[in-house]
Amino acid sequence: DVKVTQSSRYLVKRTGEKVFLECVQDMDHENMFWYRQDPGLGLRLIYFSYDVKMKEKGDIPEGYSVSREKKERFSLILESASTNQTSMYLCASRTTGGVLETQYFGPGTRLLVL
Amino acid sequence: DQQVKQNSPSLSVQEGRISILNCDYTNSMFDYFLWYKKYPAEGPTFLISISSIKDKNEDGRFTVFLNKSAKHLSLHIVPSQPGDSAVYFCAASDDDYKLSFGAGTTVTVRA
């Protein structure tokens, strides 16, 4: 069974803290994605990775970085959290060459930055 | 600027009736469109898709219509059931890789 897991369901952090959001997939997918979901804006792509150690900026990369040291794990890093990064963060994965329908999402991490 | 727009944030429909969700896009290079369904505390799951070479795709109670000249697509759910209550996202792609999402429409099916 397909599985994308995210390390935390809820997270509360203080402004200025460094925050790590972890995502793990067990499907041997090459491609992994980080989105944020905000009311009225839908899902917006932050970063994606098409292979280990490879990354590309999405539509809203400012304030974020990513790490992909192993194929199954994709980390989103908030170097210095700010209140405008309070959001729902969704990770997804897909195999290279796979149809778009095979992009699977994790359950999300709801981050609150105080 | 959002390239995929869902202008109705919410929709309430009686059980057994038709639900119609609308989606507009601005990027004429989009050639593949998908609908995702999202329950609270879960990630979005794929529902139905359509390629730009078609104008209709059906899967059980779900039908997606595409009007390329109007840059408009719609999702019809017939008949609506209580389990259909969820947030529905329209998504589009022009590179078989990245997806652009709309803001979502929250559907509530009343018993």
Side-chain angles (χ1 to χ4, degrees):
Chain A
D1 195 19
V2 165
K3 204 146 189 185
V4 179
T5 57
Q6 295 183 229
S7 52
S8 304
R9 298 303 300 270
Y10 300 95
L11 215 49
V12 180
K13 295 292 180 182
R14 298 257 175 222
T15 303
E17 277 192 77
K18 190 167 186 174
V19 181
F20 293 86
L21 303 183
E22 306 285 340
C23 174
V24 177
Q25 49 94 3
D26 64 0
M27 296 162 284
D28 203 35
H29 285 172
E30 294 83 9
N31 305 318
M32 297 187 75
F33 306 82
W34 274 107
Y35 295 86
R36 63 179 281 178
Q37 180 196 349
D38 299 288
L41 296 174
L43 279 71
R44 293 179 293 165
L45 182 64
I46 304 170
Y47 266 97
F48 62 100
S49 168
Y50 49 90
D51 204 346
V52 176
K53 296 191 187 295
M54 309 300 284
K55 61 185 179 185
E56 283 205 24
K57 294 179 180 178
D59 300 318
I60 51 164
E62 298 78 18
Y64 303 95
S65 63
V66 289
S67 172
R68 183 116 181 254
E69 296 296 318
K70 293 185 177 181
K71 191 176 186 180
E72 67 270 18
R73 189 180 296 271
F74 191 35
S75 303
L76 180 68
I77 303 156
L78 288 65
E79 296 288 343
S80 178
S82 63
T83 54
N84 63 12
Q85 291 178 310
T86 291
S87 186
M88 168 70 84
Y89 290 87
L90 291 160
C91 175
S93 73
R94 186 163 64 91
T95 191
T96 295
V99 295
L100 289 164
E101 290 86 337
T102 57
Q103 180 159 315
Y104 297 101
F105 285 86
T109 295
R110 187 167 290 283
L111 173 66
L112 173 62
V113 182
L114 301 173
Chain B
D1 192 27
Q2 277 198 293
Q3 299 183 76
V4 178
K5 298 181 183 182
Q6 294 175 254
N7 292 319
S8 297
S10 63
L11 172 70
S12 181
V13 64
Q14 189 137 22
E15 183 178 0
R17 306 296 289 267
I18 185 171
S19 295
I20 299 177
L21 290 76
N22 293 304
C23 177
D24 297 293
Y25 61 95
T26 57
N27 185 348
S28 57
M29 299 303 292
F30 285 147
D31 59 2
Y32 207 81
F33 305 88
L34 305 91
W35 285 93
Y36 280 81
K37 179 178 180 180
K38 185 181 184 301
Y39 292 116
E42 294 182 15
T45 54
F46 167 72
L47 187 60
I48 192 169
S49 61
I50 188 166
S51 163
S52 59
I53 62 172
K54 293 186 174 182
D55 55 17
K56 177 182 174 181
N57 189 28
E58 228 172 318
D59 183 2
R61 297 186 296 113
F62 303 91
T63 303
V64 56
F65 296 91
L66 176 63
N67 182 334
K68 280 182 62 180
S69 60
K71 294 194 181 71
H72 177 84
L73 61 156
S74 61
L75 174 68
H76 293 208
I77 306 173
V78 185
S80 299
Q81 298 176 354
D84 297 331
S85 295
V87 180
Y88 291 79
F89 291 100
C90 174
S93 177
D94 61 358
D95 63 2
D96 291 333
Y97 195 67
K98 292 188 293 179
L99 292 170
S100 296
F101 285 84
T105 297
T106 300
V107 172
T108 303
V109 180
R110 309 184 310 271

